Amino acid sequence: MALVTLGINHRTAPVELRERIAFAPDRMGEAFVELKAFSGASEAAILSTCNRTELYLAGDDDCAPSVLRWLAGFHDLPAGDLEEALYVYRDAEAVRHVMRVAAGLDSMVLGEPQILGQLKDAYALARQHEASGGFLSRLFEQTFSVAKRVRTETAIGENPVSVAYAAVSMAHHIFSDMSRHKALLIGAGKTIELVSRHLADAGVKDFLVANRTFERAQALADARGGKGILLSEIPDYLADVDIIISSTASPLPILGKGAVERTLKKRKHRPYFMVDIAVPRDIEPEVGSLEDVFLYTVDDLHQVIEENVRSREGAAREAENLVADGVNRFLSQLRALDAVSTLKQFRQRAETLRDVETEKALRALRNGADPETVLRGMARGLTNKLLHEPSIQVRKATTEGRMEVTEWLRELHQLDSIEADDLNIPEKL
């Protein structure tokens, strides 16, 4: 079974394209049904984050073109726009890619830990929709094991950095004393939770958390001694905050230019620092054109992120070695499984031939034939049937110049180590 991985990420596509092919949670069930139908894959999983959308498929090695057409059609955009940014990996390279992703080696922030949790969620979702089977299960289990080794055996996870950390670090360029400023966090997921932690470490004491459901907003706000509000209440509090960081799964912008423009008049040129981590974006891009507003997207965090990358390059080299070992282990497991299947077929065929010859001999004995004659005939018949097809194939292979088949035969039966005396063959033969 072939493994094919294809997708786009922060290196191959700008945020404008990434947000267009992000999968909304409520369409995942529909996506799995269509993906398997159009691709011909027997197993599938989908990873969709702010920095990447990737599809993991087990089945047909030639499915990439049909998947590209489906992916473009599903998100209603021209296939040509997507094709330029798309990467495709197969078999060993596909295994290596998913392991590098899980280990944080392919992330915008080298070694960031959130992607492993996102990949685990993607696998769980594939299982929930019965899209993943034995092949992808083995792949993800081995992948998670490799990612764990990278975390525990290298320094790539020390002094953890992430997009959330980079966003907070950038805020220092606008506000020298973070303790004097109030933060509005839009969303209540893992990324926003991490943002709140980094902001608190940077000195921020006053938090507002806005979310679609009040309970989740208040739960996160309580952890920071802040206040939870609904998304619809954001305009009422805009004038009181200086830092706005947003990360939701909303398909439409939550904060528009009009609302910010009206609020700016009340603030008397006090600057806004905003980071929109979401894909699709939560804050209308036009907000960035307003006076006294510093708006950044995930793509704008590259400079901060590159500094963190340099500090982790040594650990990354060690991690790459662990990934290479993980790829070899996984491929070895697949080869072992294939050998088991082949040996099972080989044994079943031999047992079928044995049963046929045994039944033939028993019939002869029941009819009064000489037992010694029957026994010798059964042995001769079974030997001939077992060796007939292999003998034909070996002759054919050597005629075609494939001498390695003969070598494999000698190795399989250890013919080079067997002496004539061991076989009790008369010397004249």
Side-chain angles (χ1 to χ4, degrees), residues 122-178:
Y123 171 48
L125 197 61
R127 293 185 64 185
Q128 177 185 326
H129 289 281
E130 299 182 345
S132 176
F135 188 93
L136 288 184
S137 292
R138 277 188 285 271
L139 171 65
F140 283 116
E141 286 167 7
Q142 181 70 16
T143 294
F144 300 150
S145 175
V146 168
K148 182 178 179 181
R149 287 190 66 193
V150 168
R151 291 286 157 199
T152 57
E153 297 180 27
T154 75
I156 201 165
E158 292 182 3
N159 302 315
V161 291
S162 63
V163 169
Y165 178 85
V168 175
S169 296
M170 191 169 282
H172 281 289
H173 295 293
I174 311 300
F175 305 119
S176 57
D177 184 357
M178 298 284 280

Side-chain angles (χ1 to χ4, degrees), residues 375-393:
L375 184 60
R376 290 183 181 278
M378 184 182 76
R380 183 170 55 253
L382 182 58
T383 301
N384 288 338
K385 288 183 177 180
L386 285 172
L387 298 180
H388 176 69
E389 190 60 34
S391 298
I392 291 176
Q393 295 303 321

Side-chain angles (χ1 to χ4, degrees), residues 331-349:
L331 296 178
S332 295
Q333 290 175 7
L334 291 186
R335 287 191 290 267
L337 288 171
D338 185 57
V340 169
S341 176
T342 300
L343 289 171
K344 184 178 179 180
Q345 289 179 284
F346 179 65
R347 180 174 289 276
Q348 286 175 340
R349 182 173 181 273

